[in-house]
């Protein structure tokens, strides 16, 4: 079971709610993914009247927890203000914190991220920070009050998959007791399986599912891959070897003279 800020979850897949062909397909994909947490951008959707109200009603009908995010925020002030609005609208202390530092790569501004995380943690928020795979930044985020880390494995929406597995492995090894969720850069179910095999606790997806030819089937495929990768890690993976090792015993083999 996965525990995030005191909440126990059976699914290790978190799913975004943007870019789907229709609200109905989004709902089917969420069900197929077996997720228990979906992310919602306050800048894209509103929880008030009109189409935003319809979206919010649909999300609530799916019986999932909502993780609001500060997607699109490029400054500490903007991210903190958005988080405060999200708490009021969605009635949750959870916030997926994004402070974007570069408009082309969407790489997080790690300095602003740490500052915003400290402000929000002091105000009682439970912060899920979208960060890089940098160990020092991770330490600063934990010092700021974060109890979960969400490193990228490649730029948002790139679908490249893990571009630096060694860095992800180091992060996992350095913070064995901190929930680590890979956020951004996954394009295929095999990518999700790889990071789960590294010992990550969960993954967060959006584009790879929403923009698939069949989002519902892709959501199901990712769910299976996440479960398989986690099970493989728990089972104990065989480490790569430099030399061949026979799979059958050599004792008792025929000796030709």
């Amino acid at each position: 079971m996965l525990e995030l800020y005191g909440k126990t979850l059976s699914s290790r897949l978190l799913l975004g709610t943007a870019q789907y062909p229709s609200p109905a397909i989004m709902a089917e994909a969420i069900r197929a993914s077996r997720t228990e947490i979906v992310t919602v951008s306050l800048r894209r959707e509103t929880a008030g009247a009109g189409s935003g109200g319809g979206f919010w009603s649909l999300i609530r009908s799916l019986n999932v927890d909502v993780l609001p995010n500060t997607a699109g925020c490029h400054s500490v002030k903007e991210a903190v203000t958005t988080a405060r609005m999200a708490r009021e609208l969605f009635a949750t202390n959870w916030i997926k914190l994004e402070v974007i530092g570069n408009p082309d790569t969407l790489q997080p501004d790690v300095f602003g991220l740490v500052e915003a995380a400290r402000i929000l943690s002091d105000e009682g928020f439970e912060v899920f920070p979208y960060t890089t795979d940098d160990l020092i930044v991770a330490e600063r985020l934990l010092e700021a009050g974060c109890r979960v880390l969400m490193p990228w494995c490649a730029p948002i929406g790139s679908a490249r998959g893990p571009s630096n597995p060694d860095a992800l492995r180091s992060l996992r090894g350095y913070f064995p007791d901190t929930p680590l969720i890979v956020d951004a850069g996954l394009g295929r179910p095999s990518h999700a399986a790889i990071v789960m095999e590294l010992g990550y606790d969960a993954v967060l997806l959006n584009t790879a599912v929403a923009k698939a030819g069949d989002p519902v089937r892709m959501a199901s495929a990712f769910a299976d891959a996440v479960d398989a990768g986690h099970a493989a890690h728990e089972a104990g993976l065989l480490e790569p070897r430099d030399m061949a090792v026979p799979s059958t015993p050599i004792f008792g083999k025929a000796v030709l003279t």
Side-chain angles (χ1 to χ4, degrees):
M1 302 293 278
L2 173 64
E3 184 173 325
L4 300 174
Y5 286 110
K7 186 173 183 62
T8 301
L9 304 157
S10 57
S11 172
R12 294 176 180 272
L13 173 59
L14 289 69
L15 199 61
T17 55
Q19 304 185 71
Y20 289 87
S22 71
I25 292 176
M26 178 197 71
E28 287 187 52
I30 290 173
R31 294 188 186 97
S33 74
R34 308 191 290 276
T35 187
E36 295 165 276
I37 298 176
V38 296
T39 62
V40 176
S41 170
L42 185 66
R43 294 172 62 92
R44 193 163 42 243
E45 309 290 349
T46 68
S51 59
F55 172 82
W56 181 227
S57 296
L58 177 60
I59 293 296
R60 285 190 294 185
S61 73
L62 297 171
N63 194 30
V64 292
D65 285 307
V66 170
L67 174 60
N69 68 53
T70 63
C73 293
H74 289 256
S75 70
V76 173
K77 181 179 180 180
E78 193 177 12
V80 169
T81 300
T82 301
R84 290 168 177 163
M85 293 172 63
R87 178 158 67 179
E88 184 174 338
L89 289 170
F90 294 104
T92 177
N93 286 328
W94 283 6
I95 190 71
K96 178 175 176 280
L97 181 61
E98 297 185 21
V99 182
I100 300 301
N102 184 284
D104 295 322
T105 65
L106 300 181
Q107 182 169 346
D109 170 2
V110 295
F111 305 101
L113 181 68
V114 172
E115 182 181 350
R118 181 171 289 108
I119 293 170
L120 294 172
S121 295
D122 288 346
E123 293 182 6
F125 280 89
E126 295 174 325
V127 180
F128 296 66
Y130 161 62
T131 183
T132 66
D133 52 23
D134 188 284
L135 284 176
I136 305 305
V137 174
E139 285 186 322
R140 297 294 180 270
L141 287 167
L142 294 176
E143 291 169 2
C146 299
R147 289 161 53 195
V148 174
L149 297 174
M150 303 184 76
W152 70 355
C153 75
I156 292 175
S158 67
R160 294 180 184 172
S163 58
N164 193 346
D166 289 338
L168 292 176
R169 187 179 291 107
S170 295
L171 204 61
R172 176 71 287 175
Y174 203 75
F175 301 105
D177 300 322
T178 301
L180 298 179
I181 302 171
V182 167
D183 175 17
L186 299 175
R188 302 180 179 187
S190 58
H191 296 160
I194 288 171
V195 299
M196 294 302 293
E197 288 174 0
L198 291 175
Y200 274 68
D201 296 285
V203 302
L204 192 156
L205 304 165
N206 191 158
T207 308
V209 171
K211 304 300 286 185
D214 185 338
V216 177
R217 290 191 68 186
M218 188 60 75
S220 178
F222 266 104
D224 291 342
V226 167
D227 288 345
H230 177 66
H233 175 74
E234 292 285 299
L237 291 158
L238 186 65
E239 294 299 322
R241 299 167 176 172
D242 293 330
M243 302 297 290
V245 177
S247 57
T248 54
I250 59 175
F251 176 77
K253 72 176 182 179
V255 177
L256 302 178
T257 59

